[in-house]
């Protein structure tokens, strides 16, 4: 019997080969917005409170490829035995396994905790925790689709503030948040994931426009003080528009409940 010339110990390549084809869009400047919006324009926001009926308050937010849901439970009695004059706000963030390009493990990692810390810092100063002694308020954020960490922090802060207001928790004001990226001499608001990766530095700005007060500023990368101040001014202007969207969504949801 004749022996086969096929070598089973090796993976034989194809008989023919072709040169790779590169998309022209990938060779363009990643910092240049390509979604029909200017450098100081943000992505359209879809915000719907009260979608999770089992929670005391909830909100769903969608900004193109960034989608997440937020649920608020509480205030409820704290499990700790020590008495506290002020309540406690807990924030937990979890990525869905299919939320990223590469499938994520269901276990929490450092990225989840960093987003949770940033959202907590942006929202905690707006909640009147002194009215809830020995109580806890739990905020759970599920990221359904991810298009950049900066967008997740900004959208998570907006959704958390909306869900807290939907739960009827006393607050000093609604929190609006916006992100910015510095690419050379240009500043782009609400950057996508590729834009943030190609930038020199990013800023996530959160404030309460009704009180003209800043609640949080998260800066990463390298940028000058002048660029940071410019980013803060541009983000603050856009937060006023975002605040109007949040207030309108809560008003529309309350009218639907009354009907």
């Amino acid at each position: 019997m004749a022996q086969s010339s096929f070598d089973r110990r090796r993976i034989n390549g194809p008989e023919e080969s072709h040169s790779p084809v590169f998309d022209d869009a990938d060779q363009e400047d990643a910092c240049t917005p390509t979604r029909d919006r200017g450098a100081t324009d943000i992505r359209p926001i879809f915000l719907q409170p009260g979608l999770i009926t089992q929670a005391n308050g909830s909100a769903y937010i969608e900004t193109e490829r960034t989608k997440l849901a937020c649920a608020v439970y509480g205030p409820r009695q704290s499990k700790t035995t020590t008495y506290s004059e002020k309540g406690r706000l807990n924030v937990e963030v979890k990525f869905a396994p299919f939320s990223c390009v590469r499938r994520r493990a269901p276990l929490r990692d450092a990225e989840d905790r960093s987003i949770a810390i940033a959202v907590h810092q942006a929202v905690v100063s707006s909640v009147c925790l002194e009215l809830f002694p020995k109580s806890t308020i739990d905020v759970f954020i599920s990221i359904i689709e991810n298009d950049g960490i900066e967008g997740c922090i900004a959208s998570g802060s907006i959704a958390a503030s909306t869900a807290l207001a939907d739960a009827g928790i006393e607050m000093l004001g609604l929190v609006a948040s916006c992100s910015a990226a510095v690419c050379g001499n240009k500043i782009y608001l609400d950057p996508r994931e590729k834009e943030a990766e190609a930038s020199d530095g990013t800023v996530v700005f959160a404030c309460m426009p009704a009180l003209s007060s800043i609640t949080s500023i998260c800066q990463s990368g390298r940028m000058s003080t002048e660029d940071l101040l410019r980013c803060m001014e541009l983000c603050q202007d856009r937060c006023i528009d975002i605040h109007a969207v949040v207030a309108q969504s809560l008003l529309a949801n309350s009218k639907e409940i009354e009907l």
Side-chain angles (χ1 to χ4, degrees):
M1 183 175 179
Q3 294 182 353
S4 175
S5 60
F6 181 74
D7 190 357
R8 297 181 181 276
R9 294 173 298 177
R10 299 180 181 179
I11 300 176
N12 296 293
E15 297 180 358
E16 298 180 358
S17 62
H18 302 276
S19 301
V21 178
F22 298 97
D23 190 2
D24 295 336
D26 295 338
Q27 299 179 358
E28 296 178 356
D29 187 7
C31 265
T32 304
T34 58
R35 297 192 177 186
D36 299 330
R37 61 188 175 101
T40 58
D41 295 334
I42 62 175
R43 288 171 283 188
I45 298 176
F46 173 78
L47 182 62
Q48 180 60 52
L51 286 182
I52 304 176
T53 57
Q54 294 84 358
N56 298 104
S58 62
Y60 171 80
I61 188 170
E62 180 176 328
T63 58
E64 289 186 355
R65 291 182 56 189
T66 300
K67 305 178 181 67
L68 55 87
C70 178
V72 173
Y73 297 90
R76 47 193 175 186
Q77 186 176 1
S78 178
K79 296 181 181 179
T80 58
T81 56
T82 58
Y83 177 78
S84 176
E85 295 183 357
K86 294 183 62 176
R88 183 177 179 181
L89 180 68
N90 300 323
V91 178
E92 181 177 338
V93 176
K94 186 175 182 181
F95 282 88
F98 49 83
S99 60
C100 303
V101 177
R102 179 176 296 179
R103 188 175 179 86
R104 296 179 66 99
L107 301 177
R108 295 186 62 190
D109 53 13
E111 198 171 37
D112 299 344
R113 296 185 182 94
S114 62
I115 297 176
I117 292 173
V119 173
H120 179 273
Q121 184 178 0
V123 177
V124 66
S125 58
S126 66
V127 183
C128 300
L129 295 176
E130 63 275 4
L131 300 179
F132 308 102
K134 201 179 178 182
S135 301
T136 58
I137 301 173
D138 298 319
V139 178
F140 297 96
I141 299 176
S142 299
I143 299 177
I144 303 172
E145 188 172 0
N146 170 33
D147 191 18
I149 301 302
E150 292 77 13
C152 290
I153 295 175
S155 299
S157 302
I158 298 171
S161 181
T162 306
L164 289 168
D166 182 60
I169 296 174
E170 287 79 359
M171 303 172 62
L172 298 175
L174 296 173
V175 175
S177 181
C178 183
S179 58
V182 178
C183 299
N185 296 327
K186 297 182 180 180
I187 295 177
Y188 297 109
L189 295 183
D190 195 12
R192 299 170 300 164
E193 185 175 11
K194 291 183 178 179
E195 295 171 355
E197 291 176 353
S199 65
D200 300 327
T202 58
V203 176
V204 182
F205 180 87
C207 67
M208 289 186 288
L211 300 179
S212 300
S213 61
I214 301 173
T215 59
S216 174
I217 299 175
C218 297
Q219 186 263 332
S220 62
R222 183 174 57 183
M223 66 178 65
S224 62
T225 306
E226 293 76 11
D227 290 337
L228 178 59
L229 294 176
R230 287 172 55 198
C231 290
M232 292 173 58
E233 292 177 359
L234 294 174
C235 289
Q236 191 170 12
D237 294 338
R238 287 295 171 264
C239 283
I240 297 175
D241 301 333
I242 297 173
H243 181 269
V245 174
V246 176
Q248 183 63 32
S249 64
L250 289 171
L251 180 61
N253 184 63
S254 63
K255 290 182 178 179
E256 291 178 1
I257 294 176
E258 291 177 357
L259 296 176

